[in-house]
Amino acid sequence: MKILVTGGAGYIGSAVVEQLVDNGEPVVVFDNLSQGHRAAVPPEAIFVEGDLADRKAIDAALSQHRPEAVMHFASRTLVGESMQNPFLYVGDNVSNGLNLFKSMVEHGVKRIILSSTANLFDEPERMPIDESERIVPGSPYGESKFILERILHWLDRIYGMRFACLRYFNAAGATLTRGEDHHPELHLIPIVLQVAMGKREKVSIFGSDYPTRDGTCLRDYIHVVDLAQAHILALGALDGGSRFYNLGNGEGFTVKEVIDTASEVTGTKIRAEVGPRRAGDPAVLVAASGKIRKELGWVPQYPHVRAIIESAWRWHQANPDGYAK
Ligand code: UDP
C-alpha cells in the first residue's frame, strides 16, 4: 500500500518510515524540514519538501503520488511551548491538519493514522490510563490533537475516512540508524545521554516532591521501534473500522530511575541536580495498552527502560553530533 507520511523526517516519523520501507511498502515523505532531518529519510522513500500550511503543496503531492493511506506526524509537539504560544498549536497544528484532511477528502484518500498524545489525559481518574478515560487536554498542544481526533470522527461519519488515533506516552530509544536529534533538546533521555557524553554539565530534575516512589515524576517510556510496529498494525486494521489506542508499556519509571539506569548503561556517573517543578507535569502517566494488545496482537519488544536507553546510547555514540546537516 502506498503511504504518504507527513513529518517522515522527524524522530518518530522516520522510525516508522524505516519500518515501512523494510516491509517493502512504497513511501512518500512530506516534510518541511523545520524540525526533521533530510538524512533521516531512507533513500528508498520519495522525499517531498513541503509545508502543510501550503494547501497547494499537499494537493500537489497527493495528486502526483496517489497514496492509499496517510500517516500524519508533522506537528509541533512541545507542551511547554504551547503554553507560551497557544496559537502555534490550536492555530497551526489544527489548520495544517485541516489542510491535509481536506486534501485527502478531495483526492479520495480514506485511511489515516494520526499521532496523538497522552497529554489528552490531564486529570486521569484511573492509572494506568485506558481508552475509556475522560479526555481533559493538559495544554493547547493536547487540545490541538483532541480537535484533530474529533474532526476525524466526523470525516469518518461523513466521508467514510477510516482513522486510528495513537496516543503516545513517552516515545524514546532509537533504531540502529535513526534516533532523537531535537534543537533544542528538551526530552529527558537524550538530555541525560548528553551529560554522559560530556556535552552538558548536568541534568536538572524537575521536582522531587511528587507523590511517587522516589518523589520524581513517573512516566511510561515506549521504544520508538515498538511505536512504529503499532502504526503498521493499526494501518492493517483500518478496514475493520476507526479506532483509538493508548500506547505505552503499562509500566512507569521515575526520573531518578532513568538517570540511574543511564549511569549504569553508559558507565558514567551522570550529574543531576534537583530543580523546581516544570509547569504542566502530572506526577504519573502510565498507559493501559491492553486494547491494542488484544485487538491487534501488539507486543512490545523493548518494554524495559534499560533496553530503551541502551538503544538510544548506541545511536548517540554513533552520531555524536546528530544527523549530518
Ligand atoms: N524531565 C526532567 N528534566 C529534564 C527533562 C525532563 O526532570 O531536563 C522530566 C519531566 O519533568 C518529565 C520526564 O522527565 O517528568 C519526562 O519528560 P520529557 O520532556 O522527556 O517528556 P514528557 O513527559 O514531557 O512528554
Side-chain angles (χ1 to χ4, degrees), residues 166-227:
L166 304 183
R167 286 102 170 234
Y168 313 151
F169 282 59
N170 285 67
T175 75
L176 288 178
T177 44
R178 291 181 177 78
E180 216 167 343
D181 180 9
H182 297 118
H183 297 275
E185 188 53 76
L186 299 169
H187 294 292
L188 179 65
I189 290 178
I191 285 178
V192 164
L193 297 180
Q194 285 176 353
V195 178
M197 293 179 79
K199 296 195 150 220
R200 248 180 225 262
E201 194 195 334
K202 59 181 187 238
V203 52
S204 171
I205 298 174
F206 296 153
S208 64
D209 55 352
Y210 285 97
T212 59
R213 50 190 177 242
D214 61 19
T216 65
C217 286
L218 184 136
R219 292 287 179 276
D220 187 341
Y221 295 90
I222 173 167
H223 199 295
V224 71
V225 165
D226 290 326
L227 263 187

